[in-house]
Amino acid sequence: MRIDMASAIFDISIHEKIESASCPLPSPWSRMPLRWTCMGIMHFRKATVMTANGAGRVEPADGHRQQRGATAGSTDPLILNGPRKWVLMGSISFTLFILYVLYAGIIKVFLPNQVADIDPANKINNLAGILALMSIATTIATPLSGALSDRLRTRWGRRAPFIAIGSLAAALLTFGLSFATTLMAITILWVMAAFCYNMMQVPMTTLIADRFAPDDRGKASGLLGAGQNIGTSVGVIVAGYLVVNLQLGYVLYGAAVLSCCIAFILVNREPSSLHMEREPLRLGHFIRGFWISPREHPDFAWAFISRFALYMGFTLITTYMLYILQDYIGLSRSEANAAIGRIFAIQLVGLLLSGVFSGFLSDRWGRRKPFVIQATILIAAAYAMPLLMPTMTGMYLYAGIVGIGYGAYTAVDMALMTQVLPKGGKSAGKDLGILIIALNIPLILGPVLAALILNISGNSYATLFTVAATLVAFSALLVLPIRSVR
């Protein structure tokens, strides 16, 4: 086996090598020439692996594996290669597809119709209140489930127990929604169900950081984004047909997610985590761990703020799509429910065209930021269409353009997120959970802000589109300062 010493010497600085060496170095090493010191460190490390053509390659120090690329040849037992890698990618994508079928169907169709049936005059404020409480619950659930799953040590792994228990509890609560006839019952059941769905979703999403090398995360993110986006479109389309029988709709959606999660766990057996180290649980230290200093980790902070701005603009429009079609475009309620299906079908075409390809190209070119910036600009441009043409033609153009933009964004966004995690992804579950808060907070504030904008502007949906486009465009600028990702 041959070690390419020149590559090893110049690939990583001497300072990093000394700090990450696997055994302590005697003091005389510090006085030796640079080349001798690096060669001595290589002798102590003995970290060579075989490449496909049989040539030796030096593996970076453990602390740098996450950032410098645990490639397809990594010896990390958690990193998947070959067919198992693709099975897990496909499984995550399909399970999240079903989960987002449920999210979209319930949030965009079932709940707005249930709320309007109970109190038509106050439908906007009532729906905003339910979704705000839901988002508070999910904002708590996302980092909490990530942090707890990071610490979990069982023979079934760290993430699988959360996926199993969370999906079961959420399905039972979703079944209960089919019998809810009051705003109080709908609010309690859906808020609890959303909490449980997030308790299983975050550990599942964290598997991208756990099980895939950085060189594969663009593909994994692309497939994950495709599953989510296609699920969002299909969920609304199917819900448009099931809205005449809400009990059947809730039962079918809940049962589908539960079945997929059970199958996911059985097909993708997670290795035991009993052998993994775990720090003693200190409540104060555990709570303080949820604060990530923007000064110490600026790239993480920029990624969070950029994501927050985009999803705030996105939520302003998607939350009230049914009411936009009725009050802005001028459709009847039945026509609006049917039109939502057509809009999301068009959006689905755009998602399919851009989603998966963006993830693969991002991996091939080793670039994330250009894809994210261009995608956000497209989304902002889409919001201009209903302003220029407040007709169904304008809405169809909006759907096609936003589909292409949002498909490209979600395809690369998760890959970028995994590469700005503090401490090389040591607490990936917690840190990704915090980044998901950037999505959940807009779900809390978005409906409230949208209702406030509509109340102040006299139900001017043109103003709502303008504010949404401004927020999304601003999010593109916030990606530029990120330095650790190209």
Side-chain angles (χ1 to χ4, degrees), residues 99-281:
L99 180 62
Y100 274 75
V101 165
L102 177 144
Y103 282 155
I106 292 178
I107 294 174
K108 299 180 188 301
V109 180
F110 290 175
L111 284 180
N113 279 278
Q114 273 187 305
V115 169
D117 284 339
I118 293 171
D119 186 1
N122 296 303
K123 61 185 181 182
I124 292 178
N125 292 330
N126 288 337
L127 182 62
I130 293 173
L131 297 182
L133 291 174
M134 173 203 76
S135 299
I136 292 172
T138 57
T139 298
I140 296 171
T142 48
L144 182 64
S145 61
L148 292 176
S149 66
D150 284 340
R151 297 182 53 82
L152 189 63
R153 302 293 179 263
T154 72
R155 57 180 293 190
W156 301 284
R158 295 182 293 173
R159 318 299 181 188
F162 279 85
I163 296 171
I165 296 172
S167 61
L168 175 60
L172 294 175
L173 291 163
T174 303
F175 298 158
L177 270 169
S178 63
F179 300 101
T181 56
T182 65
L183 282 174
M184 181 65 70
I186 292 171
T187 302
I188 292 173
L189 287 170
W190 177 239
V191 167
M192 293 176 63
F195 180 91
C196 294
Y197 281 125
N198 276 263
M199 289 293 286
M200 56 77 57
Q201 181 185 352
V202 173
M204 180 177 289
T205 304
T206 305
L207 290 171
I208 292 180
D210 288 348
R211 310 303 305 275
F212 298 116
D215 290 346
D216 289 322
R217 290 180 193 167
K219 305 178 192 72
S221 179
L223 289 173
L224 179 149
Q228 292 176 341
N229 292 328
I230 296 170
T232 299
S233 299
V234 172
V236 173
I237 294 169
V238 173
Y241 291 100
L242 293 175
V243 71
V244 295
N245 190 341
L246 287 177
Q247 288 187 341
L248 176 63
Y250 278 122
V251 170
L252 286 178
Y253 278 15
V257 172
L258 177 60
S259 301
C260 280
C261 287
I262 293 172
F264 178 89
I265 294 170
L266 295 176
V267 171
N268 302 282
R269 300 284 181 141
E270 188 179 357
S272 169
S273 60
L274 292 174
H275 66 284
M276 300 177 70
E277 293 184 11
R278 180 175 61 184
E279 296 179 1
L281 179 59

Side-chain angles (χ1 to χ4, degrees), residues 66-67 214 217 368 414-421 484-485:
Q66 180 88 3
Q67 297 299 327
R217 290 180 193 167
R368 312 293 188 202
M414 181 56 66
L416 187 149
M417 296 298 111
T418 64
Q419 291 179 257
V420 298
L421 299 181
S484 61
V485 181

Side-chain angles (χ1 to χ4, degrees), residues 5 23 25 29 32 34-46:
M5 296 306 303
C23 59
L25 298 175
W29 284 91
M32 287 188 177
L34 173 63
R35 184 178 180 88
W36 294 5
T37 304
C38 292
M39 293 178 68
I41 291 170
M42 289 297 99
H43 175 74
F44 277 100
R45 292 286 289 154
K46 294 185 182 294

Side-chain angles (χ1 to χ4, degrees), residues 162-427:
F162 279 85
I163 296 171
I165 296 172
S167 61
L168 175 60
L172 294 175
L173 291 163
T174 303
F175 298 158
L177 270 169
S178 63
F179 300 101
T181 56
T182 65
L183 282 174
M184 181 65 70
I186 292 171
T187 302
I188 292 173
L189 287 170
W190 177 239
V191 167
M192 293 176 63
F195 180 91
C196 294
Y197 281 125
N198 276 263
M199 289 293 286
M200 56 77 57
Q201 181 185 352
V202 173
M204 180 177 289
T205 304
T206 305
L207 290 171
I208 292 180
D210 288 348
R211 310 303 305 275
F212 298 116
D215 290 346
D216 289 322
R217 290 180 193 167
K219 305 178 192 72
S221 179
L223 289 173
L224 179 149
Q228 292 176 341
N229 292 328
I230 296 170
T232 299
S233 299
V234 172
V236 173
I237 294 169
V238 173
Y241 291 100
L242 293 175
V243 71
V244 295
N245 190 341
L246 287 177
Q247 288 187 341
L248 176 63
Y250 278 122
V251 170
L252 286 178
Y253 278 15
V257 172
L258 177 60
S259 301
C260 280
C261 287
I262 293 172
F264 178 89
I265 294 170
L266 295 176
V267 171
N268 302 282
R269 300 284 181 141
E270 188 179 357
S272 169
S273 60
L274 292 174
H275 66 284
M276 300 177 70
E277 293 184 11
R278 180 175 61 184
E279 296 179 1
L281 179 59
R282 301 183 184 91
L283 184 59
H285 182 268
F286 180 76
I287 294 174
R288 286 193 299 271
F290 290 102
W291 167 252
I292 297 176
S293 171
R295 183 183 297 274
E296 296 178 10
H297 306 285
D299 286 353
F300 186 90
W302 286 118
F304 182 96
I305 299 171
S306 172
R307 213 173 194 228
F308 171 85
L310 181 132
Y311 279 104
M312 179 62 77
F314 200 72
T315 304
L316 291 180
I317 303 303
T318 58
T319 301
Y320 291 110
M321 183 59 69
L322 178 66
Y323 305 154
I324 288 172
L325 293 174
Q326 289 181 261
D327 302 335
Y328 184 59
I329 303 301
L331 303 182
S332 67
R333 185 169 166 185
S334 60
E335 290 173 335
N337 277 310
I340 284 179
R342 293 193 297 272
I343 287 171
F344 279 91
I346 294 171
Q347 186 172 314
L348 176 59
V349 175
L351 294 170
L352 291 173
L353 289 174
S354 65
V356 176
F357 291 110
S358 296
F360 277 81
L361 289 175
S362 175
D363 275 348
R364 176 178 290 274
W365 295 340
R367 305 292 292 268
R368 312 293 188 202
K369 288 165 61 175
F371 288 90
V372 172
I373 292 170
Q374 292 172 27
T376 53
I377 292 172
L378 273 177
I379 296 171
Y383 291 150
M385 296 299 103
L387 286 173
L388 299 174
M389 289 178 285
T391 63
M392 283 308 301
T393 300
M395 294 302 298
Y396 291 148
L397 288 172
Y398 148 83
I401 298 171
V402 85
I404 294 172
Y406 192 60
Y409 179 85
T410 55
V412 182
D413 174 58
M414 181 56 66
L416 187 149
M417 296 298 111
T418 64
Q419 291 179 257
V420 298
L421 299 181
K423 301 178 183 178
K426 182 179 179 181
S427 301

